[in-house]
């Protein structure tokens, strides 16, 4: 997942930042899977706080999800999408962690 400069305020090499972004994607994907499993099992109540946090996570992680979808499909990835991923990775991670915390309470 090669990315270009800046790295969202993280002092990392391009390779390390790419690994970080991959970890963030796995985290938000795992959280989404947990929510889906709860919904399927019927253990999901209409917790407004959780739903709002999950919506915020989806918004914060939108660029990352678009990037991964394009990469998976073999589509070209624009410079601007790369920049959006770089600038949103930390917010995506923070949002996913907030949802995970709400799931545990």
């Amino acid at each position: 997942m090669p990315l270009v400069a800046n790295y969202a305020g993280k002092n990392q090499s391009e390779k390390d930042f790419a690994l970080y972004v991959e970890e963030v994607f796995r985290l938000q994907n795992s959280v989404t899977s947990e929510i889906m499993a709860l919904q399927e099992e019927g253990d999901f109540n209409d917790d407004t706080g959780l739903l709002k946090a999950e919506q915020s996570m989806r918004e914060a992680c939108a660029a990352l999800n678009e990037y991964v979808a394009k990469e998976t499909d073999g589509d070209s990835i624009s410079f601007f999408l790369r920049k959006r991923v770089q600038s949103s990775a930390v917010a995506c991670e923070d949002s996913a962690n907030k949802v995970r915390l709400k799931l545990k309470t």
Side-chain angles (χ1 to χ4, degrees):
M1 201 184 283
L3 299 173
V4 294
N6 191 348
Y7 311 128
K10 297 232 174 232
N11 263 342
Q12 298 175 317
S13 68
E14 181 178 351
K15 181 180 177 182
D16 288 342
F17 186 74
L19 291 172
Y20 165 73
V21 169
E22 186 174 331
E23 289 174 20
V24 171
F25 176 75
R26 290 178 195 270
L27 169 64
Q28 69 93 29
N29 197 34
S30 171
V31 168
T32 299
S33 294
E34 286 180 50
I35 290 172
M36 290 172 64
L38 286 173
Q39 288 173 328
E40 287 176 12
E41 294 169 3
D43 291 339
F44 186 83
N45 57 17
D46 287 337
D47 181 344
T48 304
L50 177 59
L51 293 175
K52 285 182 180 179
E54 193 252 346
Q55 176 63 33
S56 293
M57 179 186 73
R58 272 192 271 141
E59 291 169 7
C61 299
L64 177 56
N65 288 322
E66 181 182 350
Y67 183 100
V68 171
K70 285 184 176 291
E71 186 177 65
T72 300
D73 292 343
D75 295 342
S76 64
I77 299 168
S78 72
F79 170 80
F80 297 107
L81 178 56
R82 286 188 173 113
K83 294 300 276 181
R84 285 187 10 236
V85 170
Q86 290 169 4
S87 65
S88 65
V90 172
C92 177
E93 178 184 31
D94 290 345
S95 293
N97 281 323
K98 286 177 185 173
V99 174
R100 176 150 284 157
L101 282 173
K102 288 193 174 291
L103 282 167
K104 291 183 181 197
T105 58

